[in-house]
Amino acid sequence: NAGVTQTPKFRVLKTGQSMTLLCAQDMNHEYMYWYRQDPGMGLRLIHYSVGEGTTAKGEVPDGYNVSRLKKQNFLLGLESAAPSQTSVYFCASTRNSVNQPQHFGDGTRLSIL
Amino acid sequence: GNSVTQMEGPVTLSEEAFLTINCTYTATGYPSLFWYVQYPGEGLQLLLKATKADDKGSNKGFEATYRKETTSFHLEKGSVQVSDSAVYFCALRADSGYSTLTFGKGTMLLVSP
């Protein structure tokens, strides 16, 4: 009963380093999303995917790239990390069906020094 | 564009008190409305939803009614418990597009014994 799994759970990077956050879902959902959560800002959509091989920009896409090579996985990449990208990152997924809720992972806490 | 406005927190209550967290929205068409809850250190969990005007969503003693005339979806609970302490997010999903959610900034609820 895994649902949506995010790895890693915590990470500290130095400015300019790169890394990839992995999201995996076992519910056969078509749609997947990456959000960032910052104090007083709620959740903001970074990128999303409506199917394998497709991605689209959300509200705050700059500085991030994504890939959806397999239906169950959605990767979020930071090519050159900046302190402004210090945040908690959440992945979510949902079915391609009206009124279905999004299911969230437990988050990745990322600090950029 | 779409937007969600929630009352700012924290909301501090004693156990068994009545809870209201206000949420209003701006959207075209007929969005679906959601309340998510986030417990410390965890991801977001769906609390309840409503998909059309006058629908009432309910779960775990929480209720919210979709009021199109006032563009509101206020969260209520008759008697809160210490275990309800969490951050509550109101969100909408437009009736077109790819199921992306627009979140409010969240309201922290603190319940004391």
Side-chain angles (χ1 to χ4, degrees):
Chain A
N1 194 22
V4 178
T5 303
Q6 292 182 233
T7 54
K9 295 189 184 304
F10 304 96
R11 187 72 182 268
V12 178
L13 293 178
K14 294 181 179 179
T15 298
Q17 287 185 316
S18 63
M19 80 160 296
T20 300
L21 280 63
L22 172 64
C23 176
Q25 53 93 6
D26 61 0
M27 297 172 283
N28 202 34
H29 286 169
E30 293 84 4
Y31 295 173
M32 297 186 74
Y33 311 84
W34 275 107
Y35 296 90
R36 60 179 289 173
Q37 183 180 27
D38 302 293
M41 300 292 289
L43 276 78
R44 293 180 292 171
L45 182 65
I46 305 171
H47 286 280
Y48 64 99
S49 169
V50 300
E52 184 178 322
T54 72
T55 63
K57 293 180 179 180
E59 180 185 356
V60 289
D62 294 342
Y64 304 95
N65 56 76
V66 289
S67 64
R68 183 104 179 265
L69 299 180
K70 295 182 178 180
K71 185 177 183 180
Q72 64 267 33
N73 296 337
F74 195 29
L75 278 63
L76 177 70
L78 285 72
E79 290 188 349
S80 179
S84 61
Q85 294 177 304
T86 294
S87 187
V88 182
Y89 292 86
F90 287 99
C91 177
S93 69
T94 189
R95 293 194 182 284
N96 176 15
S97 179
V98 175
N99 303 326
Q100 291 300 306
Q102 291 185 11
H103 297 260
F104 284 79
D106 287 340
T108 295
R109 186 174 296 276
L110 184 61
S111 295
I112 316 295
L113 304 178
Chain B
N2 299 330
S3 67
V4 175
T5 302
Q6 289 180 237
M7 61 188 292
E8 290 192 21
V11 174
T12 304
L13 295 174
S14 298
E15 204 165 25
E16 299 184 1
F18 184 85
L19 168 71
T20 299
I21 299 178
N22 291 337
C23 171
T24 58
Y25 68 90
T26 301
T28 56
Y30 301 91
S32 296
L33 301 174
F34 303 84
W35 276 101
Y36 281 85
V37 58
Q38 184 181 31
Y39 298 102
E42 299 184 9
L44 277 69
Q45 304 173 25
L46 179 67
L47 181 60
L48 54 83
K49 68 177 183 180
T51 59
K52 61 183 186 295
D54 299 326
D55 265 3
K56 177 185 284 189
S58 61
N59 186 27
K60 299 180 181 179
F62 291 90
E63 294 182 340
T65 301
Y66 187 163
R67 301 286 188 199
K68 191 164 179 63
E69 64 274 16
T70 55
T71 62
S72 65
F73 193 53
H74 304 322
L75 182 68
E76 297 182 335
K77 187 175 185 182
S79 176
V80 293
Q81 306 299 312
V82 172
S83 57
D84 293 327
S85 297
V87 180
Y88 292 82
F89 291 92
C90 184
L92 73 81
R93 184 173 65 213
D95 58 1
S96 61
Y98 294 109
S99 297
T100 58
L101 289 174
T102 300
F103 284 90
K105 293 183 178 181
T107 302
M108 179 178 288
L109 170 64
L110 300 171
V111 181
S112 57

